[in-house]
Amino acid sequence: MVQALLGGAAQGFGATADAGLKLWFDKPAVNFTQSLPIGNGRLGAMIFGGVEEEKIVLNEISLWSGSKQDADREGASKVLGEIRRLLLEGKNADAEKLVNANFICQGAGSGRGRGKDVPYGAYQTLGSLGLKFAGAGEARGYRRELDLSRAVARIEYEAGGVRYTREAFASAPDQAILIRLTASKKGALSFEARLERGERATVDSVGNFGLLMKGQLNDGRGGGGMKFASRLTGAVKGGSLTSDGGVLKVEGAEEAVLLITAATDYQGFAGRQSKDAEAAARTDEAAAGRKRYATMLTAHVSDYKSYFDRVTLDLGPGNSSLPAPARLKAAWEGAADPGLAALYFQYGRYLLISSSRPGGLPANLQGLWAEELQTPWNGDYHLDINIQMNYWPAEAGNLSALHGPMFALIESLVEPGTKTAQAYYAARGWVAHVITNVWGYTSPGESASWGATTSGSAWLCQHLWDHWLFTRDRRFLEKFYPVLKGCARFYADMLIEEPKNKWLVTAPANSPENSFRTAGGQRANVCMGPTVDMQLLRYVFDACIEASKMLGTDSDFRDELEMKMVRLAPSRVGPDGRLMEWLEPYEEPEPHHRHVSHLWGLYPGSEITPEETPELAEAAKKSLERRGDASTGWSLAHKINLWARLGDGDRAHKLLRMLLAPVGANRTGFNMTNGGGSYDNLFDAHPPFQIDGNFGGAAGIAEMLLQSHNGVVRLLPALPAAWPAGKVTGLCARGGLTVDLAWSGGRLTDATLRNSPGGAVKVSYRGGVKELEMKKGDRVRLDAGAFPLAKG
């Protein structure tokens, strides 16, 4: 028994003053999307809060089946010329057949999104911790909450005249999950604890006071893959603690503390790099077991708040007295609740802090949290918006350091992507297509309809340059310039000239996951030069040009990029006034498709703005109108950001309301019968659960309050009428700035710009512009009067 764990009173429900930062329930969770997520970037748990039986789903972010593979198709580049010839002749359907026959990946690829038993693999649950309580009885006064200000989950109820509490957190400093259980009456706390997993694991008692679960996943080739281990131990005050036959028993206690550690033997681009999973879990247990619970709680809260407290947001009062399901329902039915939007924004930041930490792996399609062995779409990294959306709030939300795991992933793809570029395109540089995993997959997918997307690496590299724009970190730019250059090198090599306008275009390509009808009525996906590719390449080429100038290198390559960039197919307005998605105004079989990739140049790119390109901005607006508002959760989140960039705060707020619509609610009038929304615990519903919508929604709220693209800091650019008064502190703007804002009656009352690296800063509010010359470290305060030409 690790008796040192005991000691120190936990904080109760009234410990934090801000009820607006609590997500709470008045009953236990029935399913995963009602449970409460905690995480330290590597270890995660979902707390169900059952009275008679507690279920806690456990995760370790590197736990993947599968293994490294060479999925590049031998001889693929030999058919590239014929594929391009067919595309140049307008025979897209024939080209697509050839891509499917000769230009997709070798082997099973992602297993069509169910790849846990093929080499691609899948992110998997570690297992679960089950607690079975003795003589629980009927619960009264039940409350289960997640305190976002402290990253602590708590459960409290009364049964049989005894007040029971549970408190749980995932500590980054101590690399462990801690659970403290108490009873108000001596001897009233008794339960059995078990570690469980559906396959490929054994559980045994270790010593007198612990459990060990260990196993090995499938490598996708019929052999053993990644090994994993998890340990459970604890301590009790009063009563006894014993372990026998794979069961940990607590009897007659008044307090118990459980300590969970876990590790894998993954040795890849990031993470623990442990060769022995069992030894790593044991080492973590031993280190944490020497500390008091209260000491670890204090360290955890301090570590977490060093990230979380950087931004505060007040949008007005909220219905925080309602449990989460009732609150979502009330808001959807029309109850004013601006505080819910603030909670959702901070929840997005909480989830990123909890699933992405420096030195670790990036947040995947489910962030960190999964209960399945076969997660949806393998819980992987999709490169056609999803992993990018995961990190949209990182910079503006003052969590720049948490962007690091994504940068590590990008860097890890250069070596395999260099091979893929040669195998398929006989090109220099490196490429990643549309999906990847912890094993460095860069090949196309297993179907031309989506797997021929060539622009995944370009979209990834946008995050490198955007990080530079926000931070002005020259060391970062020097380190990642070769990655950015290799990306640009590939696209500069693979461009071809289309015959009609002599533009340079990508080929073959997809507009991600979308299709069109050819002039002959055939449905096709493979094309040349989709708008999203051209927008991305303009961004990447321009970024590489500017970086090479700043670093004083590669002038010849810079000249090449400058010449090719001006020849890229432009974003264009189609005959119907919409922004064209393809080179031709094709008919769309799915006019309400979830992807709006051709609007990348509006957001997250910035080549389309109402101020600088009003015709294209109007065309983008018409495209959004035609696509419709209703869609999957992450698509709703994307559209919030797009409408914010168009300056339409009320429309962005409407999309936010839809994103917060409870799954299963009556959505008459919103055309959302099968669309996305939010589960009871605010997890984003694709459906199923996919965390990108949470992050995209948080980014959208920030984008409504502050924008900083194209050299202008825009204050309250898309403020909706639903938020007439409020205050935000700590948002970040490009140029190394931190911005605080306050407003009342829908008008700016105060703005503070600080932490400037020095230089000229252009600030805009309602069309008025103020130009500042700031010194390093300057702090400048402005109000609406500083913008004499502002409208309204």
Side-chain angles (χ1 to χ4, degrees):
M1 179 162 41
V2 191
Q3 202 65 29
L5 286 170
L6 297 172
Q11 290 183 283
F13 285 117
T16 55
D18 191 354
L21 290 175
K22 291 185 177 181
L23 177 69
W24 74 276
F25 296 78
D26 59 4
K27 56 175 66 76
V30 175
N31 55 53
F32 184 80
T33 52
Q34 293 175 330
S35 58
L36 300 176
I38 59 173
N40 66 7
R42 186 178 67 87
L43 300 178
M46 298 293 295
I47 314 295
F48 280 59
V51 174
E52 296 179 355
E53 294 188 20
E54 167 69 286
K55 177 181 179 181
I56 300 174
V57 175
L58 302 174
N59 290 105
E60 207 280 358
I61 201 166
S62 67
L63 187 58
W64 268 74
S65 63
S67 52
K68 289 186 177 181
Q69 62 169 321
D70 182 357
D72 291 342
R73 184 175 290 269
E74 186 177 349
S77 63
K78 295 178 181 178
V79 300
L80 179 61
E82 179 63 10
I83 292 169
R84 287 174 166 172
R85 183 188 67 79
L86 292 169
L87 289 171
L88 290 167
E89 293 176 1
K91 298 176 180 178
N92 296 71
D94 291 338
E96 187 159 329
K97 290 178 182 177
L98 195 56
V99 170
N100 272 319
N102 299 279
F103 212 73
I104 58 174
C105 62
Q106 184 71 39
S110 71
R112 300 195 176 274
R114 298 186 61 80
K116 82 178 184 71
D117 294 321
V118 301
Y120 186 87
Y123 178 61
Q124 296 191 11
T125 183
L126 176 65
S128 63
L129 169 63
L131 306 179
K132 187 174 183 179
F133 295 91
E138 182 181 352
R140 300 175 183 273
Y142 182 96
R143 181 174 171 117
R144 175 171 56 97
E145 72 170 31
L146 178 63
D147 183 350
L148 302 185
S149 72
R150 299 168 63 238
V152 175
R154 185 174 168 87
I155 299 140
E156 187 170 348
Y157 59 91
E158 185 178 312
V162 180
R163 198 70 186 164
Y164 293 96
T165 68
R166 293 175 223 157
E167 186 175 68
F169 62 91
S171 168
D174 291 297
Q175 288 299 304
I177 295 170
L178 280 297
I179 305 167
R180 180 175 183 260
L181 306 93
T182 68
S184 63
K185 181 180 178 182
K186 290 183 178 180
L189 184 62
S190 297
F191 62 88
E192 294 181 351
R194 291 176 171 84
L195 291 173
E196 301 170 312
R197 195 174 197 274
E199 65 177 33
R200 294 181 172 269
T202 61
V203 180
D204 296 293
S205 292
V206 287
N208 297 321
F209 313 112
L211 300 180
L212 169 64
M213 177 173 68
K214 62 181 180 179
Q216 185 172 23
L217 301 188
N218 185 358
D219 70 353
R221 297 178 171 85
M226 189 182 296
K227 294 180 180 179
F228 63 92
S230 180
R231 294 179 67 94
L232 171 68
T233 191
V236 296
K237 180 180 180 181
S240 63
L241 173 68
T242 59
S243 179
D244 183 59
V247 180
L248 193 71
K249 291 184 179 180
V250 171
E251 295 182 293
E254 60 182 282
E255 177 186 349
V257 175
L258 300 179
L259 171 68
I260 306 162
T261 60
T264 73
D265 66 352
Y266 174 69
Q267 296 179 67
F269 66 89
R272 291 285 294 274
Q273 311 294 323
S274 302
K275 293 183 178 180
D276 186 332
E278 190 175 342
R282 183 171 60 250
T283 298
D284 289 342
E285 179 187 83
R290 289 191 290 267
K291 300 180 182 180
R292 291 161 60 95
Y293 175 87
T295 301
M296 288 189 282
L297 175 60
T298 299
H300 156 72
V301 172
S302 176
D303 168 78
Y304 169 77
K305 290 174 82 66
S306 71
Y307 293 106
F308 186 80
D309 286 355
R310 297 175 186 179
V311 176
T312 67
L313 176 61
D314 180 1
L315 295 176
N319 292 330
S320 58
S321 61
L322 293 177
R327 187 175 186 181
L328 287 174
K329 184 175 184 291
W332 179 243
E333 292 175 351
D337 192 356
L340 180 59
L343 175 68
Y344 192 79
F345 169 77
Q346 293 289 30
Y347 189 54
R349 295 182 68 246
Y350 166 84
L351 293 172
L352 191 59
I353 297 167
S354 301
S355 63
S356 181
R357 287 296 188 100
L361 273 67
N364 59 46
L365 278 174
Q366 298 200 202
L368 169 61
W369 302 276
E371 64 176 340
E372 306 93 344
L373 299 170
Q374 176 58 70
T375 44
W377 298 286
N378 300 316
D380 70 0
Y381 309 119
H382 271 46
L383 309 183
D384 56 350
I385 191 170
N386 309 96
I387 189 173
Q388 292 91 344
M389 185 179 286
N390 283 3
Y391 287 89
W392 283 356
E395 301 294 340
N398 211 331
L399 297 173
S400 185
L402 307 188
H403 219 154
M406 185 177 184
F407 302 149
L409 172 67
I410 296 169
E411 190 174 28
S412 76
L413 299 178
V414 172
E415 182 177 342
T418 299
K419 179 181 175 301
T420 298
Q422 276 290 319
Y424 286 85
Y425 307 95
R428 295 166 290 178
W430 68 278
V431 64
H433 287 80
V434 67
I435 53 174
T436 193
N437 55 17
V438 299
W439 308 117
Y441 185 97
T442 54
S443 307
E446 60 267 25
S447 172
S449 65
W450 56 271
T453 301
T454 55
S455 52
S457 39
W459 199 335
L460 287 173
C461 284
Q462 183 241 344
H463 283 249
L464 301 178
W465 184 245
D466 212 30
H467 180 74
W468 152 256
L469 292 176
F470 270 96
T471 65
R472 302 297 179 178
D473 183 342
R474 186 179 177 90
R475 288 186 179 180
F476 173 87
L477 188 62
E478 289 171 347
K479 176 181 178 180
F480 281 95
Y481 172 72
V483 178
L484 180 63
K485 177 186 173 183
C487 175
R489 175 72 275 164
F490 167 75
Y491 292 108
D493 275 8
M494 72 94 68
L495 290 168
I496 66 169
E497 183 181 271
E498 56 84 32
K500 189 174 180 180
N501 298 286
K502 309 300 182 184
W503 292 325
L504 296 180
V505 296
T506 51
N510 296 142
S511 186
E513 302 181 37
N514 203 2
S515 63
F516 55 91
R517 291 199 190 281
T518 66
Q522 296 169 299
R523 186 165 177 166
N525 299 79
V526 173
C527 62
M528 296 188 300
T531 298
V532 61
D533 280 17
M534 301 296 96
Q535 293 171 346
L536 279 163
L537 266 58
R538 267 189 292 277
Y539 186 100
V540 169
F541 284 8
D542 182 65
C544 197
I545 289 166
E546 292 303 312
S548 71
K549 289 178 181 177
M550 280 183 278
L551 299 176
T553 188
D554 293 323
S555 59
D556 290 344
F557 183 49
R558 181 166 67 240
D559 292 342
E560 178 187 349
L561 292 180
E562 287 174 339
M563 288 187 292
K564 290 184 175 179
M565 187 169 70
V566 297
R567 295 189 59 201
L568 294 173
S571 296
R572 292 179 296 151
V573 181
D576 60 0
R578 291 183 295 150
L579 197 73
M580 291 176 62
E581 186 164 357
W582 295 278
L583 287 177
E584 301 295 333
Y586 295 122
E587 178 191 345
E588 301 161 288
E590 297 181 70
H592 304 299
H593 197 273
R594 61 194 176 277
H595 282 270
V596 282
S597 303
H598 55 306
L599 303 189
W600 188 94
L602 177 62
Y603 184 93
S606 58
E607 72 171 47
I608 300 173
T609 70
E611 302 88 358
E612 299 171 63
T613 59
E615 290 185 1
L616 292 178
E618 183 62 25
K621 180 180 178 180
K622 289 182 178 178
S623 293
L624 281 171
E625 294 283 9
R626 175 67 183 275
R627 270 296 202 267
D629 291 336
S631 194
T632 61
W634 63 261
S635 181
L636 293 171
H638 190 189
K639 292 171 185 175
I640 293 169
N641 288 274
L642 291 166
W643 282 109
R645 281 288 176 92
L646 290 170
D648 193 335
D650 289 337
R651 189 62 173 269
H653 185 264
K654 177 189 175 186
L655 268 295
L656 178 60
R657 279 197 66 214
M658 294 170 73
L659 183 60
L660 284 164
V663 171
N666 183 347
R667 304 175 184 200
T668 304
F670 282 81
N671 189 28
M672 290 181 67
T673 305
N674 297 310
S678 292
Y679 293 108
D680 286 348
N681 66 358
L682 298 191
F683 270 180
D684 171 60
H686 178 285
F689 162 53
Q690 212 171 275
I691 206 167
D692 42 16
N694 289 103
F695 295 133
I701 292 168
E703 202 72 15
M704 294 162 75
L705 302 176
L706 180 71
Q707 297 174 17
S708 59
H709 49 284
N710 297 357
V712 180
V713 179
R714 300 165 179 83
L715 311 181
L716 304 179
L719 185 68
W723 305 341
K727 182 179 180 179
V728 63
T729 66
L731 290 180
C732 291
R734 293 171 182 85
L737 295 165
T738 306
V739 180
D740 303 340
L741 300 169
W743 64 97
S744 181
R747 289 184 56 82
L748 179 72
T749 57
D750 186 77
T752 302
L753 283 69
R754 48 196 167 87
N755 297 336
S756 168
V761 178
K762 185 180 290 187
V763 187
S764 172
Y765 173 66
R766 291 192 173 186
V769 176
K770 178 76 172 179
E771 295 191 13
L772 306 172
E773 190 65 38
M774 297 182 70
K775 297 179 181 179
K776 185 176 181 179
D778 261 2
R779 179 187 182 98
V780 176
R781 291 190 65 183
L782 304 169
D783 59 21
F787 304 92
L789 300 180
K791 301 174 184 177

